[in-house]
Amino acid sequence: MKRSILLAIACALPAAPALAQDCPIKVGVLHSLSGTMAISETTLKDTVEMLVDQQNATGGLLGCDLEAVVVDPASDWPLFAEKARELLTVEEVDVIFGSWTSVSRKSALPVLEELNGLMFYPVQYEGEESSKNVFYTGAAPNQQAIPAVDYFLEELGVERFALLGTDYVYPRTTNNILEAYLKSKGIAEEDIFVNYTPFGHSDWATIVGDVVEMSEDGRQVGVISTINGDANIGFYKELAAAEISADDIPVVAFSVGEEELSGLDTTNLVGHLAAWNYFQSADTDVNAEFVAAWKERMGEDRVTNDPMEAHYIGFNMWANAVTAAGTADVDAVREAMYGQEFPNLTGGTAVMLPNHH
């Protein structure tokens, strides 16, 4: 009732004059183009550039062209903070689309909050964060990790779990959540093996051997993988070298999608799993259009993936919020973002909630 009264009063007031918008509207791109995360993040840079060009082809926003401003934080986590500051103070961008790992996001976060920048973060993550300066368009654990574990428990009959992750905040926090969840489902602590490795780790023989050893009593073992970046190449190669099939020890990955798999010999990986909100194979008209546009721009061998869809959703929500606000000003756009709806690529609708997720 109070909301209706306030709306009625607001409608009775004279309309506020539109704010003059400086052109071009600058879109910062904060993704690693070198280093261990380039295998995943370069595609996201390409995605934002495509979205900017598509928006410009329809007339831009508020009478302005958009300009993509690209920097390379080079998989160097402190450099994400420096490059975020560069984008906001030197380049004076209106919005940033960026980061993959949580450590890179958390590096940039104090700068975003200090300078009141706005960033759209497109990757599944550990949750337990909500900043007024970030919109989180990837999955939280309840949308990805928990359903994947339920599938292992209920459909594959997994009784012992190996939680293998890269050593930073996302795998550690996600695995803490999963350990507690598994114990609540009756999995004993001694049947949960947790291991962390550095970014770029390549020697997987001992770890894979430890996982194989877990299955020697005949119980079904499953691997929950939060391994990130190019370390996945060595991990899957070692599984193949050890002649471990998905029937023997299934793996479900939270950070391996079409882009990472395109660089691997997948002959021996058939049957292993990935859990995402989106896959290129989604059978919808809008996804067919998105994939076709991507391949026309980048080549037939390039694939799409889940964080790309998250940028697609976030970018279009941001564009609609800018239009609704009549300005690219961060505070006005933030308010206009709440309740924004946009069709995703799998046949549903994404809605931005007040918690920025």
Side-chain angles (χ1 to χ4, degrees):
M1 183 64 70
K2 290 182 179 178
R3 183 171 183 269
S4 299
I5 293 171
L6 288 171
L7 286 174
I9 293 172
C11 290
L13 295 173
L19 298 175
Q21 176 61 52
D22 292 335
C23 296
I25 295 174
K26 291 187 175 183
V27 178
V29 185
L30 185 68
H31 283 303
S32 295
L33 310 181
S34 57
T36 189
M37 291 307 301
I39 186 176
S40 300
E41 292 193 69
T42 299
T43 289
L44 297 186
K45 182 272 294 185
D46 295 336
T47 302
V48 177
E49 289 181 325
M50 180 179 78
L51 293 168
V52 164
D53 288 348
Q54 289 176 338
Q55 189 68 41
N56 284 336
T58 66
L61 286 173
L62 307 181
C64 295
D65 281 341
L66 307 187
E67 177 187 335
V69 181
V70 178
V71 294
D72 178 16
S75 307
D76 180 346
W77 316 134
L79 197 55
F80 272 82
E82 295 179 31
K83 290 297 183 180
R85 187 175 296 277
E86 176 185 329
L87 286 172
L88 293 171
T89 61
V90 179
E91 300 293 347
E92 297 184 334
V93 300
D94 297 283
V95 66
I96 295 172
F97 290 83
S99 290
W100 180 291
T101 68
S102 285
V103 67
S104 65
R105 185 192 71 253
K106 287 186 177 293
S107 176
L109 186 58
V111 176
L112 295 167
E113 293 181 338
E114 173 196 344
L115 300 174
N116 197 30
L118 191 63
M119 186 171 80
F120 283 75
Y121 176 67
V123 185
Q124 93 296 344
Y125 85 119
E126 70 281 358
E128 301 185 2
E129 179 180 297
S130 184
S131 168
K132 71 183 183 70
N133 295 94
V134 180
F135 283 101
Y136 308 80
T137 51
N142 63 303
Q143 298 169 309
Q144 181 196 35
I146 297 296
V149 167
D150 283 340
Y151 184 83
F152 266 38
L153 289 168
E154 298 165 11
E155 301 295 329
L156 301 185
V158 173
E159 299 170 282
R160 308 191 78 189
F161 286 80
L163 310 184
L164 307 183
T166 301
D167 193 5
Y168 73 105
V169 61
Y170 160 62
R172 284 188 174 273
T173 306
T174 298
N175 286 341
N176 285 342
I177 293 169
L178 293 183
E179 279 191 84
Y181 185 72
L182 286 169
K183 290 174 183 177
S184 76
K185 291 293 185 177
I187 302 299
E189 184 171 357
E190 58 267 25
D191 291 326
I192 304 172
F193 168 62
V194 183
N195 184 269
Y196 297 103
T197 47
F199 281 96
H201 186 72
S202 58
D203 184 4
W204 289 95
T206 299
I207 296 168
V208 168
D210 291 339
V211 173
V212 172
E213 188 176 328
M214 293 178 69
S215 65
E216 289 182 352
D217 66 358
R219 285 186 289 173
Q220 180 65 63
V221 174
V223 174
I224 306 293
S225 171
T226 48
I227 301 165
N228 267 256
D230 55 11
N232 281 290
I233 296 174
F235 171 64
Y236 284 106
K237 282 184 176 179
E238 186 59 40
L239 282 179
E243 299 183 346
I244 302 299
S245 73
D247 291 332
D248 301 322
I249 300 176
V251 177
V252 61
F254 300 160
S255 300
V256 176
E258 292 89 340
E259 184 71 16
E260 291 81 7
L261 288 174
S262 66
L264 295 174
D265 177 5
T266 58
T267 304
N268 296 307
L269 303 183
V270 174
H272 291 303
L273 306 168
W276 294 98
N277 289 352
Y278 163 89
F279 289 100
Q280 179 175 296
S281 56
D283 187 13
T284 65
D285 291 341
V286 66
N287 186 51
E289 293 174 7
F290 180 76
V291 173
W294 175 249
K295 289 183 176 294
E296 181 179 359
R297 181 185 179 94
M298 304 302 301
E300 279 298 317
D301 60 333
R302 292 293 294 273
V303 293
T304 60
N305 61 36
D306 178 286
M308 288 175 63
E309 190 216 22
H311 263 343
Y312 165 83
I313 293 168
F315 182 91
N316 282 288
M317 282 186 169
W318 169 78
N320 289 342
V322 169
T323 301
T327 174
D329 174 76
V330 166
D331 292 326
V333 170
R334 180 189 297 112
E335 290 301 316
M337 276 294 298
Y338 302 137
Q340 282 289 337
E341 299 186 9
F342 196 79
N344 60 34
L345 296 177
T346 61
T349 300
V351 182
M352 184 55 67
L353 303 179
N355 66 1
H356 284 224
H357 289 71

